[in-house]
Structures are given as C-alpha cells and as structure tokens.
C-alpha cells in the first residue's frame, strides 16, 4: 500500500473522495484532526522536515499562522492502481 499524507488547516475532502494528479488517482481514506503543535512534534519527518522547528518555519512561510492550540487536518490518501 502506498500512502500519501497532506496537512491543511481545513478539510479538503470527504473519506472516499478520489482526486487525480498527473494521471494518478488518489483515494482519501482517513482524516485526523489534531493540534498543530502535535503535528509539528510527531509528524515533521513524515512531511520531510528535519525538525519540528523546520516544520513550523515552513508552515509560517506559507502565510499560515502557527498557534500551538489550533487544530489541523491530516488527510491520508492511497494511490489507486
């Protein structure tokens, strides 16, 4: 199983939705709502960062406020073969 994760400050779909990117289909299989501080602390490597600080710096560089007590959504996609 090939899984992709996307994080955003709002939901970007419903479980079961299929999106197509570059001729590949991705099915949304789960959505978790967690604190942004937890995402930075525990998911930073999954999103390709070397440290929680780097995760936070990138988040802020995307013009998204980093408020430790705010929630974000982690979307789990499987590649449809």
């Amino acid at each position: 199983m090939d899984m992709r994760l996307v994080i955003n400050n709002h939901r970007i779909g419903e479980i079961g939705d299929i999106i197509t990117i570059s001729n590949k289909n991705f099915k949304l299989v789960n959505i978790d709502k967690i604190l942004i501080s937890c995402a930075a602390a525990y998911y930073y490597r999954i999103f390709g960062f070397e440290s929680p600080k780097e995760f936070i710096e990138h988040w802020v560089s995307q013009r998204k406020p980093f408020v430790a007590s705010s929630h974000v959504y982690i979307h789990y996609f499987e590649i449809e073969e």
Side-chain angles (χ1 to χ4, degrees):
M1 170 176 35
D2 194 0
M3 185 77 66
R4 301 285 195 268
L5 277 67
V6 174
I7 187 170
N8 211 315
N9 54 359
H10 62 277
R11 290 176 68 109
I12 57 173
E14 299 295 328
I15 293 174
D17 286 355
I18 306 242
I19 61 169
T20 302
I21 301 172
S22 299
N23 294 324
K24 288 187 179 180
N25 292 327
F26 297 85
K27 182 178 181 179
L28 182 55
V29 294
N30 195 26
I31 302 170
D32 285 333
K33 181 180 178 182
I34 66 170
L35 293 172
I36 185 72
S37 56
C38 290
Y42 301 111
Y43 286 79
Y44 68 92
R45 283 196 176 110
I46 292 171
F47 290 109
F49 299 104
E50 295 292 322
S51 67
K53 181 181 177 192
E54 190 177 296
F55 174 99
I56 293 166
E57 288 170 349
H58 177 76
W59 188 265
V60 171
S61 77
Q62 299 300 305
R63 299 182 185 196
K64 298 177 183 175
F66 186 89
V67 178
S69 62
S70 65
H71 287 90
V72 293
Y73 296 88
I74 298 179
H75 302 78
Y76 301 79
F77 288 91
E78 286 181 354
I79 294 179
E80 295 274 291
E81 301 292 333

